[in-house]
Amino acid sequence: MHPFVYNANPGRVIFGPGSHSLIASEIQAMNAGKALVLATPSQSEAAHRLSDQLGELSAGVFDQAVMHVPIETAKAGIEAADKMNAGCTIAVGGGSTIGLAKAIALETGKPILAVPTTYAGSEMTPIWGLTEEGVKTTGRDPKVLPRTVIYDPELLVTLPDFITGPSGMNAIAHCVEALYAENANPIISMMAEEGIRAIGRSLENAVKQQEDIAARSDTLYGAWLAGASLGAVGMALHHKLCHTLGGSFNLPHAEVHTIIIPYVTAYNTLAAPDAIGRVAKALGVEKSEDAAGALFDLNTAIGAKMTLSELGMTEADLDKAADIATRNPYYNPRPITRESIRRLLDDAFHGRRPNVDQ
């Protein structure tokens, strides 16, 4: 057993069908005053409906959350929370909405009640991200960790297949990265492996049988473990590439994670054989060298987009992306070179089946 340090993140989790009915009582229990309901423009109607249901517990609605949390949106959200005298926020939605709640908490300390409606996992991490002038910056601060998280699979039965699939793969990517993190430890590794197993066995059904509550529950359970895993350990190459592609090229967050994770898994297989071996085991394949292919095949099974070109990236962007991703690299078990990352991005751009790089 290698020496390790394990830090448990605080937080309250409520899991199960129908648990969204507890939002009002959980806001009262937080004892932080009225709540500002946050949403994206597309979820504005649902946010106003929740605000109406909360009555005097609601301070109002701010429905301008967008992906990658532009600094301008964060400032507008902070101003809205102050103007409406909100003491806390409710983030009902995916990573964009929860990311905005974190930006508000980072600046003001206002606690968060998170009710995820995707499988992003951000609700379980103390990680925040802000994008300014095309560059996404991330950091960690316990202030942004939601005070309470309500996981209700009933809220995800209307999640379209084209969102469900990439969102689930985003969660798997968190688990994969946690297994070979610089500060990985056996507790988090158990959680990460179980997260991959839970999502791997359920995601295709969640995509193809939209109202399958059992599949939705398993995928949501895996996403919880994924977020908790990512929140407890550091990030590596996969997240650096995704932050680069999302923040600097405005590519959709979950779809980028979906496309990139098989290639980073292949890239790190020989440098982290035990970690990638656990990925393989969780996905039901025998050898660590097969893990990247299993992830690629799962992407195919759920009908995900398989190439960066499908997301709107151009071949001319690849050099810039490689430069940004290798300028200030995150820790990674295999050394990072500009040439190797440029080659990885080219494979992801064209959607070639990943090969373990010797």
Side-chain angles (χ1 to χ4, degrees), residues 21-182:
S21 64
L22 300 174
I23 290 176
S25 61
E26 289 300 313
I27 288 295
Q28 289 176 317
M30 285 170 61
N31 196 30
K34 295 185 176 184
L36 177 64
V37 181
L38 304 175
T40 59
S42 64
Q43 294 178 309
S44 178
E45 183 178 344
H48 280 90
R49 189 162 56 247
L50 173 59
S51 179
D52 290 342
Q53 292 170 354
L54 290 173
E56 63 180 16
L57 291 175
S58 174
V61 173
F62 181 79
D63 58 4
Q64 298 302 307
V66 294
M67 66 178 182
H68 306 307
V69 196
I71 190 70
E72 298 81 6
T73 303
K75 289 178 179 178
I78 292 166
E79 290 175 3
D82 289 341
K83 183 177 180 180
M84 298 181 195
N85 295 316
C88 58
T89 61
I90 303 176
V92 182
S96 298
T97 304
I98 293 169
L100 175 59
K102 289 183 172 186
I104 295 171
L106 183 67
E107 179 69 23
T108 68
K110 297 183 190 299
I112 304 166
L113 170 63
V115 188
T117 59
T118 70
Y119 305 110
S122 174
E123 66 281 350
M124 290 305 297
T125 81
I127 301 167
W128 55 266
L130 291 168
T131 301
E132 185 172 11
E133 296 181 354
V135 177
K136 186 169 185 177
T137 302
T138 64
R140 287 175 178 261
D141 194 305
K143 286 193 300 186
V144 309
L145 188 69
R147 181 84 58 83
T148 301
V149 181
I150 294 177
Y151 286 106
D152 188 341
E154 289 182 356
L155 297 180
L156 283 84
V157 295
T158 58
L159 193 68
D161 55 359
F162 63 87
I163 297 178
T164 295
S167 183
M169 290 304 301
N170 182 14
I172 281 185
H174 297 334
C175 293
V176 173
E177 193 107 303
L179 285 167
Y180 55 68
E182 185 174 19

Side-chain angles (χ1 to χ4, degrees), residues 215-238:
R216 294 285 185 183
S217 294
D218 273 3
T219 305
L220 194 58
Y221 164 65
W224 166 27
L225 295 175
S229 298
L230 179 67
V233 296
M235 295 180 286
L237 172 61
H238 173 80

Side-chain angles (χ1 to χ4, degrees), residues 223-355:
W224 166 27
L225 295 175
S229 298
L230 179 67
V233 296
M235 295 180 286
L237 172 61
H238 173 80
H239 281 83
K240 179 64 175 184
L241 287 174
C242 292
H243 291 160
T244 297
L245 295 169
S248 298
F249 299 92
N250 202 36
L251 300 186
H253 182 84
E255 285 84 350
V256 167
H257 278 273
T258 300
I259 291 167
I260 292 295
I261 190 56
Y263 298 101
V264 175
T265 301
Y267 185 89
N268 282 328
T269 294
L270 297 182
D274 291 342
I276 304 304
R278 295 182 76 153
V279 177
K281 179 182 176 183
L283 292 173
V285 295
E286 292 185 3
K287 299 183 296 184
S288 60
E289 290 82 359
D290 297 330
L295 290 167
F296 187 85
D297 291 341
L298 182 54
N299 282 346
T300 302
I302 63 174
K305 293 179 179 179
M306 303 294 286
T307 71
L308 292 177
S309 62
E310 291 176 86
L311 302 186
M313 197 170 188
T314 69
E315 201 155 5
D317 292 330
L318 297 180
D319 284 324
K320 180 181 177 183
D323 289 339
I324 296 171
T326 56
R327 194 172 297 148
N328 295 296
Y330 298 170
Y331 160 83
N332 195 64
R334 176 180 167 181
I336 294 169
T337 67
R338 194 225 181 251
E339 179 184 6
S340 62
I341 297 308
R342 176 63 174 78
R343 187 165 60 249
L344 184 158
L345 290 170
D346 192 73
D347 286 343
F349 180 82
H350 292 285
R352 302 183 185 103
R353 186 174 183 83
N355 290 310

